[in-house]
Amino acid sequence: MENNYFLIIFLIFVAFTARDILVGHQQRTTSDNDHNSGPDMASIVKKEIPSMTLKAPASGPTLKILYCYSCGYKRAFDEYSHLISERFPQINIIGDNYSPGLIKNKVVQLLSVLKLVIIALLMANVNPFQLMGVPTPGVWFWMTQHKMYACLMLFFLSNTIESHLMSSGAFEIYYNDVPVWSKITTGRIPSPPEMFEIIENQNKLYANQMNMNIDFNSMPLPGRPV
């Protein structure tokens, strides 16, 4: 009966770990395709994280917000995107998860695989230290004697570390791919009045740039009929 419990727990761990690995692979594949088609600042994430795009006229400016999904900033993005869309309907708003970096992503994947391997060894009563010819530590003896508690502890501890590694605390704002606010640098999310002021200033610069381009295109050039 006890072996059946261990088998059920092991299958649950395998299902969750396999889901994380497969979703991470799909995210990396999608990100690679996006990089091949053009530059994109949102990169690999381990878990399935939704992105949102609020469409505006194609000629309008783009506001990109990269946020920490595991920190719960998705709700803040939804609230800000709603406020911005009401006040600046011409802006195209894009939101996505902020990647903590390739190294942290690889470490998280390694932890997921290592967690699964250790649980499999415990369930199969295999001592890897004997196979390597090194003394077996006492913690391994304890884990083999308390398999259920060891597997649960290993599962939740690994998930805690993985979540900590994936939590960047980011809420980065880009106007036409130009950074205009960084929570990583300032330590806070801008207030709505600050957000509106940033967008208004950037809109003025954008309008001036567009007018300059129109004036330049309308200038007579040698060989061009006036």
Side-chain angles (χ1 to χ4, degrees):
M1 189 69 178
E2 185 178 1
N3 292 332
N4 293 334
Y5 289 145
F6 291 153
L7 179 60
I8 293 174
I9 294 174
F10 176 67
L11 292 177
I12 293 175
F13 291 155
V14 169
F16 277 102
T17 304
R19 183 200 64 177
D20 292 342
I21 295 175
L22 290 176
V23 170
H25 175 72
Q26 292 175 356
Q27 292 285 345
R28 292 193 303 274
T29 303
T30 303
S31 178
D32 292 340
N33 293 334
D34 292 341
H35 282 295
N36 292 333
S37 60
D40 185 12
M41 301 191 67
S43 57
I44 303 170
V45 291
K46 173 179 172 288
K47 299 183 182 295
E48 185 177 4
I49 297 174
S51 61
M52 178 178 292
T53 301
L54 302 180
K55 294 185 177 180
S59 58
T62 299
L63 188 74
K64 181 185 296 184
I65 301 178
L66 302 182
Y67 52 86
C68 175
Y69 183 84
S70 60
C71 301
Y73 292 160
K74 176 65 167 59
R75 180 178 179 180
F77 165 76
D78 292 338
E79 294 176 354
Y80 272 89
S81 60
H82 178 71
L83 294 175
I84 295 171
S85 297
E86 287 186 344
R87 183 157 181 173
F88 306 99
Q90 77 280 8
I91 291 183
N92 186 34
I93 304 175
I94 299 175
D96 207 343
N97 180 71
Y98 181 88
S99 173
L102 181 61
I103 296 179
K104 288 187 177 181
N105 281 311
K106 294 299 182 182
V107 171
V108 168
Q109 293 175 12
L110 179 61
L111 286 176
S112 297
V113 175
L114 185 61
K115 169 181 61 181
L116 184 60
V117 170
I118 294 176
I119 293 175
L121 292 174
L122 287 174
M123 295 297 101
N125 290 321
V126 175
N127 188 338
F129 301 98
Q130 290 182 353
L131 298 178
M132 293 183 294
V134 297
T136 303
V139 64
W140 185 262
F141 287 118
W142 181 89
M143 293 174 68
T144 56
Q145 295 172 2
H146 307 83
K147 292 181 180 180
M148 182 178 297
Y149 298 107
C151 290
L152 290 174
M153 182 182 64
L154 181 64
F155 181 78
F156 289 111
L157 179 61
S158 175
N159 281 356
T160 301
I161 297 175
E162 293 170 16
S163 298
H164 178 72
L165 291 175
M166 295 301 294
S167 298
S168 59
F171 198 86
E172 313 303 291
I173 305 174
Y174 302 84
Y175 187 98
N176 285 342
D177 291 332
V178 177
V180 294
W181 185 276
S182 172
K183 181 183 178 296
I184 296 177
T185 302
T186 62
R188 63 183 181 90
I189 297 177
S191 63
E194 288 176 326
M195 176 74 79
F196 294 152
E197 182 180 359
I198 291 172
I199 296 176
E200 288 174 353
N201 293 335
Q202 293 298 321
N203 281 342
K204 292 177 182 178
L205 294 176
Y206 177 78
N208 291 335
Q209 183 180 5
M210 295 298 294
N211 292 333
M212 290 178 60
N213 291 337
I214 293 174
D215 294 340
F216 178 79
N217 293 331
S218 62
M219 290 177 59
L221 296 176
R224 176 191 293 180
V226 179

